[in-house]
Amino acid sequence: MIDTHVHIWTDDTKKYPWQQTLSKVPIPTEPATVEKFISCMEKACVEGAVLVQPSTYGWDNNYLCDSLKKYPEKFAGICLVDPKNRNASDDLYFWCEKGGCSGLRINLVGYSEIEFLLDPERKGLWDTAAEIGACISFQMSPSHGKIINELVKSHPEINFIIDQVSAEVHRNSDLGSFVEFLSERSNLYIKLNSVGQNSVQEYPFKDLWPFFRRVLDSFTPDRVLYGTDFPHTLKTCSYVQAIEWIYELPFISPDAINLVKGDNARNLWKFL
């Protein structure tokens, strides 16, 4: 099992200061250290994970990168850089080539408009991502579908990932029409995250099933990745339950589970 969506942070704010970039995401009050996560991994028999920079650290990816260097056999890393910064391409190169990351996340939910993704000024960022083989992940809302489609279509040399969508979409599959639309792009993947915190039901969160069935039907298991959204998932279930949630889904075959829970991630992050 490869958990492709994990956040970590420490309470050592002197060494790793907060840099809040999404106003709706509060500064954590409890640590979620890499060592705590490794303990959870061992209990759940998870062999590897993708660490995604939390928005509360902003463009300072040092804790993420220090964790990658400390446990290189366990993790891949996805950094944050300011995509509107004129030095965004240099920043991505630094955090990937020097810091050990292998991808970039852009929190589109933090922007009132996302047309800037298509601006000529972004060319350097996409060129750098292609050059170093970095994937590009998006936290998106349904309204972002058209722009994402244009970007992904114009850059077939880059692997893109929808790594999180709005909470209301998880509970209302009718809002997920963008899924079929975007699934036509062969270089676009999507994460099936165990996001029980977005459910209004108890485990196994059956109100989330219709949306994720739509995801699997549209993208097919070849382009779906599995994640837990640790530590947020611990609000509603144990980490072991979050990992085993995929086996609760009645619409996914054993062969598909093997692709989603590990094989696809190993193809994207070959060093895992």
Side-chain angles (χ1 to χ4, degrees):
M1 171 69 79
I2 304 294
D3 185 346
T4 68
H5 202 89
V6 172
H7 300 294
I8 56 168
W9 55 77
T10 175
D11 56 3
D12 185 354
T13 56
K14 184 175 182 178
K15 186 175 182 180
Y16 305 105
W18 301 118
Q19 186 186 100
Q20 192 174 21
T21 53
L22 292 178
S23 59
K24 293 183 179 180
V25 179
I27 298 297
T29 58
E30 297 290 336
T33 63
V34 66
E35 286 77 19
K36 178 179 179 179
F37 176 63
I38 289 174
S39 177
C40 289
M41 287 176 68
E42 292 172 348
K43 292 176 183 177
C45 299
V46 171
E47 61 185 278
V50 179
L51 305 180
V52 180
Q53 171 79 343
S55 64
T56 46
Y57 276 145
W59 324 130
D60 183 349
N61 299 277
N62 277 304
Y63 184 62
L64 172 69
C65 292
D66 286 350
S67 299
L68 295 177
K69 293 173 184 176
K70 192 173 183 180
Y71 304 102
E73 75 286 355
K74 292 184 180 292
F75 303 124
I78 305 297
C79 66
L80 294 183
V81 305
D82 182 353
K84 289 188 172 184
N85 190 300
R86 61 185 298 180
N87 298 317
S89 58
D90 293 336
D91 293 339
L92 177 62
Y93 187 89
F94 173 82
W95 291 115
C96 288
E97 295 301 295
K98 304 297 183 182
C101 292
S102 53
L104 166 68
R105 187 191 206 198
I106 302 177
N107 289 312
L108 296 179
V109 294
Y111 298 93
S112 57
E113 57 84 19
I114 67 165
E115 284 78 5
F116 71 88
L117 293 175
L118 305 178
D119 290 346
E121 289 83 356
R122 305 286 90 73
K123 182 179 184 300
L125 181 59
W126 312 136
D127 287 349
T128 296
E131 176 189 346
I132 64 179
C135 59
I136 307 293
S137 302
F138 298 116
Q139 182 181 13
M140 63 167 288
S141 297
S143 61
H144 297 147
K146 181 179 178 181
I147 298 298
I148 290 176
N149 180 65
E150 291 185 43
L151 178 66
V152 174
K153 182 180 179 181
S154 62
H155 292 281
E157 73 281 8
I158 299 174
N159 285 317
F160 293 87
I161 303 169
I162 300 170
D163 76 353
Q164 191 69 282
V165 297
S166 309
E168 65 273 12
V169 179
H170 289 140
R171 295 190 298 270
N172 185 355
S173 183
D174 291 340
L175 298 175
S177 60
F178 68 92
V179 170
E180 286 87 358
F181 175 54
L182 291 175
S183 67
E184 297 176 6
R185 301 293 157 220
S186 61
N187 57 323
L188 179 63
Y189 292 73
I190 190 169
K191 289 184 184 179
L192 193 163
N193 289 328
S194 175
V195 284
Q197 66 272 20
N198 292 340
S199 172
V200 295
Q201 298 182 9
E202 297 295 319
Y203 187 89
F205 318 126
K206 291 185 178 181
D207 55 335
L208 307 183
W209 290 7
F211 173 72
F212 287 119
R213 180 164 193 164
R214 192 168 189 172
V215 165
L216 283 162
D217 288 346
S218 300
F219 276 79
T220 76
D222 298 290
R223 288 186 290 128
V224 177
L225 306 161
Y226 192 68
T228 64
D229 200 24
F230 175 94
H232 306 300
T233 191
L234 301 182
K235 299 173 183 177
T236 53
C237 67
S238 70
Y239 184 70
V240 171
Q241 285 179 308
I243 286 296
E244 294 181 347
W245 184 67
I246 191 172
Y247 298 103
E248 300 281 351
L249 306 180
F251 45 83
I252 183 169
S253 69
D255 287 343
I257 286 177
N258 289 333
L259 288 169
V260 172
K261 77 173 186 178
D263 290 349
N264 294 338
R266 293 185 188 94
N267 288 334
L268 277 175
W269 298 284
K270 298 184 186 303
F271 43 87
L272 280 175

